């Protein structure tokens, strides 16, 4: 095939894209923030294109199973990957076989979700200072949950423990927030950094306590809950993102077409309102390259923290 024929074929593929169903791989269980964003995106992309967008949940290994599936998929735009800080910025430091910065390229950021330092309803402390005091008086007797070793809920709590000089026992769950939230509600674990999209209803119902948020400023929905920064813990806790990626060899015209389609459906007032009700803010990148560069920068920062703290992955 000569260059001119190949170019003509690429143009035709882009014009017709998508001409068959598109798979969206989600690295966590149904019900968590990543899954919520992916399913909403899938429904709106299907409406916009007339093609099915099918969400496939591939859980395990802190997202690495899903990452490997996305990386090995044909680079044709028919397999998308919705990832977060753990899968696309942190995991690179823990598994030599998975290199998201090398094997995936970004399309755009989709949403940002503040996290909350949450406590079980039975935990004696109701504020961060009270929690720190209790932890110091009860070293090694309080459990915290995470989405797995090396996930950002794990690293955020590790940072919290190091900063406050406290000893908290780590209980990792392999199915993300879907495992963490019931654990807190049952008082199997007492503390966690977990996203508000997965916990807001339980907090409002009094089944989980919110001690502080990782948001830059106090949230309108939680005016009485302070931020970690205002309590003196700037940089402790992640204001997390969700974003979309494809295999790195995907042709740029397909990447640009995807970017255009996704930005169109995610920037509507309806989408922004829907995300806001779920404690998420729609955030879209200026370009696929800008998003790819942002994630690479965060990957480097997490690598430094992981190295400094000698974190051992599963």
């Amino acid at each position: 095939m000569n260059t001119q024929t190949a170019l003509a074929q690429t143009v035709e593929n882009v014009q017709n894209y998508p001409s068959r169903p598109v798979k969206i791989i989600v690295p966590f269980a149904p019900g968590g923030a990543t899954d919520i964003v992916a399913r909403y995106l899938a429904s709106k992309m299907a409406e916009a294109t007339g093609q099915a967008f099918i969400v496939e949940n591939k859980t395990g290994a802190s997202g690495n199973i899903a990452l490997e599936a996305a990386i090995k998929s044909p680079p044709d735009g028919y397999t998308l990957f919705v990832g977060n800080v753990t899968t696309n910025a942190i995991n690179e430091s823990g598994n030599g076989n998975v290199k998201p910065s090398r094997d995936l390229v970004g399309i755009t950021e989709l949403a940002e979700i503040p996290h909350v330092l949450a406590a079980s309803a039975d935990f004696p402390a109701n504020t961060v200072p009270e929690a720190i005091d209790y932890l110091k008086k009860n070293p090694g007797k309080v459990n915290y949950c995470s989405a797995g070793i090396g996930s950002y809920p794990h690293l955020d709590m590790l940072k919290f423990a190091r900063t406050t000089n406290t000893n908290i026992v780590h209980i990792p769950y392999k199915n993300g927030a879907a495992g963490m939230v019931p654990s807190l509600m049952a008082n199997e674990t007492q503390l966690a950094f977990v996203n508000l999209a997965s916990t807001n209803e339980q907090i409002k119902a009094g089944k989980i306590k919110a001690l502080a948020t990782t948001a830059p400023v106090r949230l309108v929905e939680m005016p009485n809950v302070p931020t970690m920064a205002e309590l003196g813990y700037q940089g402790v806790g992640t204001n997390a993102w969700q974003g979309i990626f494809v295999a790195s060899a995907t042709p740029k015209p397909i990447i640009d077409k995807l970017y255009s389609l996704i930005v169109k459906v995610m920037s509507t007032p309806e989408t922004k309102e829907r995300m806001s009700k779920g404690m998420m803010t729609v955030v879209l990148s200026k370009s696929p390259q800008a998003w790819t560069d942002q994630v690479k920068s965060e990957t480097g920062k997490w690598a430094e923290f992981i190295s400094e703290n000698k974190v051992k992955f599963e």
Side-chain angles (χ1 to χ4, degrees):
M1 184 186 297
N2 62 39
T3 304
Q4 191 171 5
T5 303
L7 180 61
Q9 194 174 71
T10 299
V11 171
E12 182 182 357
N13 289 343
V14 173
Q15 289 175 341
N16 294 332
Y17 177 86
S19 59
R20 53 187 170 86
V22 178
K23 181 194 298 183
I24 302 180
I25 296 176
V26 173
F28 303 108
T34 307
D35 182 72
I36 291 168
V37 172
R39 290 184 186 275
Y40 182 82
L41 176 65
S43 69
K44 291 303 173 184
M45 289 289 279
E47 289 177 12
T49 65
Q51 285 292 341
F53 281 71
I54 303 162
V55 173
E56 181 177 316
N57 299 86
K58 284 185 172 292
T59 63
S62 293
N64 279 337
I65 291 172
L67 271 172
E68 288 186 10
I71 287 166
K72 292 175 181 177
S73 67
D76 54 11
Y78 286 90
T79 301
L80 313 181
F81 179 85
V82 177
N84 65 11
V85 179
T86 295
T87 57
N88 290 79
I90 294 172
N91 280 10
E92 186 150 329
S93 295
N95 188 329
N97 297 323
V98 175
K99 296 290 183 186
S101 68
R102 177 194 66 201
D103 300 324
L104 296 175
V105 294
I107 303 296
T108 181
E109 184 174 2
L110 297 170
E112 291 188 358
I113 311 164
H115 273 50
V116 60
L117 177 55
S120 66
D122 293 332
F123 188 58
N126 294 307
T127 67
V128 172
E130 287 177 3
I132 294 169
D133 183 60
Y134 185 84
L135 291 169
K136 288 187 174 180
K137 290 176 180 176
N138 297 274
K141 296 181 180 180
V142 175
N143 298 330
Y144 75 91
C145 56
S146 81
I149 294 174
S151 65
Y152 61 95
H154 169 212
L155 299 184
D156 282 343
M157 191 60 81
L158 178 62
K159 192 180 293 186
F160 176 77
R162 296 284 169 86
T163 302
T164 59
N165 194 28
T166 52
N167 178 9
I168 326 172
V169 179
H170 181 207
I171 309 295
Y173 288 82
K174 293 183 178 180
N175 54 343
M180 295 169 66
V181 174
S183 170
L184 287 166
M185 290 172 62
N187 197 38
E188 292 171 357
T189 55
Q190 291 73 50
L191 289 172
F193 277 105
V194 64
N195 74 75
L196 274 170
S198 301
T199 54
N200 189 38
E201 293 305 313
Q202 290 82 359
I203 290 169
K204 288 194 291 187
K207 297 176 180 178
I208 296 174
K209 294 189 286 193
L211 304 187
T213 76
T214 64
V217 296
R218 289 201 185 199
L219 299 170
V220 173
E221 297 85 355
M222 296 181 165
N224 297 322
V225 180
T227 68
M228 291 297 292
E230 73 179 87
L231 293 172
Y233 300 102
Q234 179 75 39
V236 177
T238 301
N239 197 35
W241 46 256
Q242 310 290 332
I244 196 154
F245 304 82
V246 291
S248 59
T250 304
K252 188 175 183 301
I254 294 289
I255 290 172
D256 292 340
K257 180 74 176 287
L258 273 167
Y259 176 79
S260 177
L261 287 168
I262 293 169
V263 166
K264 185 175 181 179
V265 302
M266 290 297 291
S267 58
T268 65
E270 176 195 353
T271 296
K272 291 178 179 179
E273 182 181 355
R274 175 70 177 273
M275 291 293 109
S276 178
K277 286 180 179 177
M279 299 301 291
M280 305 183 205
T281 303
V282 174
V283 180
L284 299 166
S285 306
K286 291 183 179 179
S287 67
Q289 188 61 54
W291 176 230
T292 299
D293 291 344
Q294 179 184 329
V295 176
K296 284 184 178 179
S297 174
E298 291 195 26
T299 299
K301 291 175 183 176
W302 279 111
E304 289 179 13
F305 177 80
I306 289 163
S307 176
E308 288 170 1
N309 289 277
K310 299 179 174 59
V311 177
K312 299 297 182 182
F313 287 70
E314 294 174 308

